[in-house]
Amino acid sequence: MVEADDEVGRRPQVVIVGGGFGGVFAARRLARADVDVTLIDRGTSNVFQPLLYQCATGLLSEGQITSPLRTLLRRHRRVRVVLGEAHGLDVTRGVVTAKRPDGSTFELDYDHLIVAAGMRTSYFGHPEFARFAPGMKNIDDALAIRRRVLSAFEMAETIPDREQRREWLTFAVVGAGPTGVELAGQIRELATRTIGREYRSIDPSEARVLLFDGAGAVLASFGPSLAAKAQKTLDGLDIEIRLGVLVTDVDATGLVTTTKDGTETRYPARTVLWTAGVEAAPFLTKVAEATAVPQDRQGRIAVEADLSVPGHPDVWVIGDAASRDGLPGVAEVAMQGGLHVGGVIRRRVAHPAEKPAPFHYRDLGSAAYLCRGHAVLKLGKLELSGFLGWVLWGAIHIAFLAGVRNRFATLASWLLTLGLNRRAERAITYGDPTAAEQPYP
């Protein structure tokens, strides 16, 4: 922290950790304030996570669901974007320590800190599952899933043994929340509508998609009525749903589930995908340690009414990393939280004695895509499903996409898929050529 004698003529420094929805909305809210803003993220782009599963199944490209952070904030002269991963916090000095991609470190001084670091995939105490069951929280995850899904069909095409072929044509999705349901539906659509006539030795439409969850219903958070309608639609897609079970083991050839009475069942499946849970990003642990504030089971930090950390009015946690009044971990919470905290800081700079206003979340509803022509939408007491829900789902997602180019490109891809049953984004990559993740040992 700069000493008081050196602060004459210096604007307050705001550091934002995370370039997701919350971080970008906070930066935009602060753009015209009398502050200097530094937004730090480990990537170069803002990712529209609600459509990651469409990137993972070849419907959209990574470019259609991402926008460069520097482009989004280029008009805001007092906002600086830096590439790095925050990994240390000293609240006494007012310093965030970060790592560059090459491993070297640098420091960022702050007067106000906004933590919008988000969440990552949780394997519920079994990190070893990650090797065999990728999650889906970022572009790397989506491309890894695309590689595994498309490669599974390619493998099956050249394997003569029927049982081995069946393993490669079995896809297991763990987690029946919105992400899991959407991913399972897209894999079935890919197999039955897009690539059904493109293979000579196999029939892709015979691919099995298994959906597992420990709850008693798919999309349980949507309520019993929409959950029942969603299950009916998924049954019509021939998605095999296994509820009330926990996945207790995963390896290269399948997974094991365990029921409440201890019954174990093994399912052979060469492709296992994990959407079952989330936990806080590692930097949240550093924030908790530095501020002496406990974390909940998911690693989230309990915050005050204005989203500040208890005892530290110059540090805020927003988005799904914040625990307050049961707020859901959805994009709208992050967006509204970013706007709120940005406004709090603006008012504090202009009127230091003013008491910060509490955060009030406006629920804009939840939606999940099931398959072509079918989606479920919950807007307060209003519940929609079927074709109307599908149309509104598409309109909402187009509206929230960042950038006119992305909106038109995404709409064009959807229309192409509807009209011609084609998915143009089916290239697979193996990562960094010097250390590529090979799909098979």
Side-chain angles (χ1 to χ4, degrees), residues 80-100:
R80 180 173 69 130
V81 176
V82 297
L83 179 66
E85 182 173 6
H87 75 99
L89 173 63
D90 186 333
V91 293
T92 302
R93 296 171 54 220
V95 171
V96 172
T97 305
K99 288 191 296 186
R100 300 184 183 91

Side-chain angles (χ1 to χ4, degrees), residues 45-392:
S45 297
N46 172 268
V47 180
F48 191 72
Q49 289 187 337
L51 290 179
L52 270 175
Y53 71 95
Q54 294 201 3
C55 176
T57 52
L59 206 162
L60 300 176
S61 73
E62 58 270 34
Q64 289 169 291
I65 61 170
T66 59
S67 297
L69 290 169
R70 295 187 183 280
T71 299
L72 289 175
L73 301 170
R74 68 187 183 279
R75 296 179 181 176
H76 307 309
R77 303 301 299 174
R78 293 182 182 175
V79 178
R80 180 173 69 130
V81 176
V82 297
L83 179 66
E85 182 173 6
H87 75 99
L89 173 63
D90 186 333
V91 293
T92 302
R93 296 171 54 220
V95 171
V96 172
T97 305
K99 288 191 296 186
R100 300 184 183 91
D102 66 355
S104 60
T105 63
F106 61 99
E107 292 185 342
L108 296 171
D109 292 347
Y110 72 84
D111 297 291
H112 309 281
L113 173 64
I114 303 174
V115 180
M119 306 289 273
R120 64 178 183 178
T121 300
S122 171
Y123 292 91
F124 305 110
H126 292 279
E128 68 275 12
F129 290 178
R131 176 185 175 190
F132 308 108
M136 190 165 59
K137 296 297 290 182
N138 54 48
I139 290 296
D140 286 335
D141 294 337
L143 294 180
I145 289 174
R146 183 197 295 179
R147 176 172 63 246
R148 293 188 183 217
V149 170
L150 297 179
S151 295
F153 289 104
E154 299 298 335
M155 285 292 294
E157 174 76 356
T158 59
I159 293 177
D161 182 81
R162 183 176 180 179
E163 287 304 313
Q164 289 186 32
R165 231 176 22 239
R166 184 177 175 84
E167 288 185 11
W168 282 104
L169 290 177
T170 300
F171 302 86
V173 180
V174 183
T179 302
V181 164
E182 291 170 332
L183 185 58
Q186 283 298 301
I187 293 174
R188 278 299 292 168
E189 284 201 356
L190 171 70
T192 58
R193 292 180 178 271
T194 304
I195 62 175
R197 298 182 181 180
E198 297 182 358
Y199 290 81
R200 302 296 177 260
S201 299
I202 62 170
D203 180 1
S205 65
E206 294 180 356
R208 299 176 67 200
V209 178
L210 310 176
L211 184 62
F212 301 91
D213 200 282
V218 300
L219 298 179
S221 63
F222 282 65
S225 176
L226 289 181
K229 291 178 181 178
Q231 174 141 358
K232 183 178 179 180
T233 300
L234 296 173
D235 289 340
L237 290 173
D238 293 326
I239 294 174
E240 302 173 38
I241 301 172
R242 305 286 187 269
L243 299 173
V245 298
L246 299 178
V247 174
T248 52
D249 195 19
V250 183
D251 58 32
T253 60
L255 56 79
V256 175
T257 64
T258 303
T259 61
K260 292 181 180 179
D261 64 7
T263 303
E264 293 187 349
T265 305
R266 180 169 179 80
Y267 294 88
R270 290 284 183 163
T271 305
V272 180
L273 309 173
W274 194 278
T275 68
V278 293
E279 63 185 16
F283 183 62
L284 265 295
T285 300
K286 301 297 184 181
V287 174
E289 292 173 351
T291 58
V293 173
Q295 296 173 273
D296 66 12
R297 290 193 305 171
Q298 291 180 298
R300 299 177 302 175
I301 293 180
V303 294
E304 302 283 11
D306 66 337
L307 304 182
S308 65
V309 175
H312 297 272
D314 56 344
V315 179
W316 291 264
V317 178
I318 63 175
D320 44 10
S323 176
R324 177 79 186 181
D325 298 331
L327 291 174
V330 295
E332 290 86 355
V333 172
M335 294 176 187
Q336 294 178 38
L339 290 174
H340 172 78
V341 172
V344 168
I345 295 175
R346 286 183 63 161
R347 288 189 293 273
R348 180 174 295 178
V349 170
H351 308 285
E354 184 176 315
K355 184 179 179 180
F359 173 63
H360 295 290
Y361 171 57
R362 182 184 177 188
D363 188 357
L364 300 180
S366 303
Y369 180 110
L370 303 175
C371 66
R372 182 179 305 187
H374 292 274
V376 292
L377 203 68
K378 185 177 179 65
L379 302 170
K381 294 183 179 180
L382 177 64
E383 296 183 348
L384 299 173
S385 61
F387 184 78
L388 180 57
W390 180 65
V391 171
L392 288 177

